[in-house]
Amino acid sequence: MAKHTPSNDTVPAEQYLESLYEKDIILEGVKHAIRQHSMPEISIAPAYGRLLTLLVRISGAKRILEIGALGGYSGICLARGLTDDGKLTSLELDPAFADVAKRNVTEAGFGAQVEYRIGEALHSLEALEVEGRKFDFFFIDADKVNYPNYLDWAIKLANPGALIVGDNILMHGRANDPNVNQNAVEQMRKFTRNIAEDPRVESALLPAFDGLSIARVK
Ligand code: SAH
Ligand code: DHB
Ligand code: MG
């Protein structure tokens, strides 16, 4: 069995580049709140958080859908890239997590721009479709077994040119370990293969940290 890197391990090159940035007081506060509430310490890597902000800003996205809120770390990163008329909808299974996220996002100054929907993301996605909602940007970061379903939904709810970003495509080295056949890992492989092969999107796959996929709906 190969050894798999634990969740928040970073390699020296990642640490070096991270050291060039000043501490982000707001995001440090989010991590502190997550620890205080004994929530899982699995917020997106800081470098990818900055990339989310940049991608939202560059793309000019006005409507963002996040799947998996946790404590609001990635939500704040996404909201930072929005202009004042932009909105973030965030789907979260656990109502207590959504409360923490809402509080953190509000403290960061984005409370009026963010809407949380509690429950199974697949149910919320159906509701959003019934409401005729469309989005310019998707961030997929919830239960890994449903990543292929979330990709289908994102493509269905996408405005032309929408970006679809997915976290954890490497699953701490399990995705590229042929000895691992857990369903969550198999579903993640399927997601990543679909991103690479689906003619409806153009994409790039980043191997740093736990891996990130970026796709643009044509
Ligand atoms: N995006 C966050 C981290 C998300 S961690 C950040 O980087 O800041 C994954 C989150 O997905 C957890 O909060 C978990 O409760 C939520 N989740 C897991 N399964 C889900 C489901 N079926 N529907 C909605 N949310 C789910
Ligand atoms: C883990 C990390 C994540 O970023 C996530 O979304 C889910 C799980 C983990 O390290 O287990
Ligand atoms: Mg993640």
Side-chain angles (χ1 to χ4, degrees), residues 42-45 67-68 70 74 139-142 144 147 166-169 172 188 210-212:
I42 54 172
S43 302
I44 193 169
I67 309 179
L70 190 66
S74 56
F139 178 49
I140 300 173
D141 197 18
K144 308 314 172 198
Y147 265 46
D167 192 29
N168 308 110
I169 59 174
H172 308 304
M188 183 62 86
D210 200 22
L212 194 83

Coordinates of all heavy atoms in Angstrom, one line a residue, residues 42-45 67-68 70 74 139-142 144 147 166-169 172 188 210-212, ligand 3:
I42 N -10.5 21.2 6.7 CA -10.3 20.8 5.3 C -10.7 21.9 4.4 O -11.2 21.7 3.3 CB -11.1 19.5 5.0 CG1 -12.6 19.6 5.3 CG2 -10.5 18.3 5.7 CD1 -13.4 18.4 4.9
S43 N -10.5 23.2 4.8 CA -10.7 24.3 3.9 C -9.7 24.2 2.8 O -8.7 23.6 2.9 CB -10.5 25.6 4.7 OG -11.4 25.7 5.8
I44 N -10.1 24.8 1.7 CA -9.2 24.8 0.5 C -7.8 25.4 0.8 O -7.7 26.2 1.7 CB -9.9 25.6 -0.7 CG1 -9.2 25.3 -2.0 CG2 -10.0 27.1 -0.3 CD1 -10.0 25.9 -3.2
A45 N -6.8 24.9 0.1 CA -5.5 25.5 0.3 C -5.5 27.0 0.0 O -6.1 27.4 -0.9 CB -4.5 24.8 -0.7
I67 N -20.7 24.3 -3.9 CA -21.2 23.0 -3.4 C -20.3 22.5 -2.3 O -19.2 22.1 -2.5 CB -21.4 21.9 -4.5 CG1 -22.2 22.5 -5.6 CG2 -22.1 20.7 -3.9 CD1 -22.4 21.5 -6.8
G68 N -20.7 22.7 -1.0 CA -19.8 22.4 0.2 C -19.3 23.7 0.8 O -18.2 24.2 0.4
L70 N -18.7 24.3 4.4 CA -17.9 24.1 5.6 C -17.9 25.4 6.5 O -19.0 25.8 6.8 CB -16.5 23.7 5.3 CG -15.6 23.3 6.5 CD1 -16.2 22.0 7.1 CD2 -14.2 23.0 6.1
S74 N -13.7 29.1 1.5 CA -13.7 29.2 0.1 C -14.8 30.2 -0.3 O -14.7 31.0 -1.3 CB -13.9 27.9 -0.6 OG -15.1 27.3 -0.1
F139 N -18.1 26.1 -7.8 CA -17.0 25.5 -7.1 C -17.5 24.2 -6.4 O -18.4 24.3 -5.5 CB -16.5 26.5 -6.0 CG -15.3 25.9 -5.2 CD1 -14.3 25.3 -5.8 CD2 -15.3 26.0 -3.8 CE1 -13.2 24.7 -5.1 CE2 -14.3 25.4 -3.1 CZ -13.3 24.8 -3.7
I140 N -17.0 23.1 -6.9 CA -17.4 21.8 -6.4 C -16.5 21.3 -5.3 O -15.3 21.1 -5.6 CB -17.5 20.8 -7.5 CG1 -18.5 21.3 -8.6 CG2 -17.9 19.4 -7.0 CD1 -18.5 20.4 -9.9
D141 N -17.0 21.1 -4.1 CA -16.1 20.8 -3.0 C -16.8 20.0 -1.9 O -16.5 20.1 -0.7 CB -15.4 22.0 -2.4 CG -14.2 21.8 -1.5 OD1 -13.6 20.7 -1.6 OD2 -13.8 22.7 -0.8
A142 N -17.9 19.2 -2.2 CA -18.6 18.5 -1.2 C -18.3 17.0 -1.3 O -17.1 16.7 -1.6 CB -20.1 18.7 -1.4
K144 N -17.3 13.4 -2.2 CA -16.6 13.1 -3.4 C -17.3 12.1 -4.3 O -17.1 12.1 -5.5 CB -15.2 12.6 -3.1 CG -14.4 13.5 -2.1 CD -14.4 15.0 -2.5 CE -13.8 15.9 -1.5 NZ -14.2 17.3 -1.7
Y147 N -19.2 13.8 -7.1 CA -18.6 14.7 -8.1 C -19.1 14.6 -9.5 O -19.3 15.6 -10.2 CB -17.1 14.6 -8.0 CG -16.4 15.6 -7.0 CD1 -16.9 15.8 -5.7 CD2 -15.2 16.3 -7.4 CE1 -16.3 16.7 -4.9 CE2 -14.6 17.2 -6.5 CZ -15.1 17.4 -5.3 OH -14.5 18.3 -4.4
G166 N -13.1 22.3 -9.4 CA -13.3 21.2 -8.5 C -12.1 21.0 -7.6 O -10.9 21.0 -8.1
D167 N -12.3 20.8 -6.3 CA -11.2 20.6 -5.3 C -10.9 19.1 -5.1 O -11.8 18.3 -5.3 CB -11.5 21.3 -4.0 CG -10.3 21.4 -3.1 OD1 -9.2 21.5 -3.5 OD2 -10.5 21.4 -1.8
N168 N -9.7 18.8 -4.7 CA -9.3 17.5 -4.2 C -9.3 16.4 -5.2 O -9.6 15.2 -4.9 CB -10.3 17.0 -3.0 CG -10.4 18.0 -1.9 OD1 -11.5 18.7 -1.8 ND2 -9.3 18.2 -1.2
I169 N -9.0 16.7 -6.5 CA -9.0 15.7 -7.5 C -7.9 14.6 -7.3 O -8.0 13.6 -7.9 CB -8.9 16.3 -8.9 CG1 -7.6 17.1 -9.1 CG2 -10.2 17.1 -9.2 CD1 -7.4 17.6 -10.6
H172 N -5.4 13.0 -1.9 CA -4.2 12.7 -1.1 C -3.4 11.5 -1.7 O -3.0 10.7 -1.0 CB -4.6 12.5 0.4 CG -5.4 13.6 0.9 ND1 -4.9 14.9 1.0 CD2 -6.6 13.6 1.5 CE1 -5.8 15.6 1.5 NE2 -6.9 14.9 1.8
M188 N -14.2 10.1 -8.1 CA -13.4 11.3 -8.4 C -12.6 11.1 -9.7 O -12.4 12.0 -10.5 CB -12.4 11.5 -7.2 CG -11.5 12.7 -7.4 SD -12.5 14.2 -7.5 CE -12.7 14.6 -5.8
D210 N -3.9 19.3 -3.1 CA -4.6 18.1 -3.3 C -5.3 18.0 -4.7 O -6.1 17.2 -5.0 CB -5.7 18.0 -2.2 CG -6.2 16.5 -2.1 OD1 -5.4 15.6 -2.5 OD2 -7.3 16.3 -1.6
G211 N -4.8 18.9 -5.6 CA -5.2 18.8 -7.0 C -6.5 19.7 -7.2 O -7.4 19.7 -6.3
L212 N -6.5 20.4 -8.3 CA -7.7 21.3 -8.6 C -8.0 21.2 -10.1 O -7.1 21.2 -10.9 CB -7.3 22.7 -8.3 CG -8.5 23.7 -8.2 CD1 -9.2 23.6 -6.8 CD2 -8.0 25.2 -8.4
Ligands
MG3 MG -11.9 20.3 -0.6

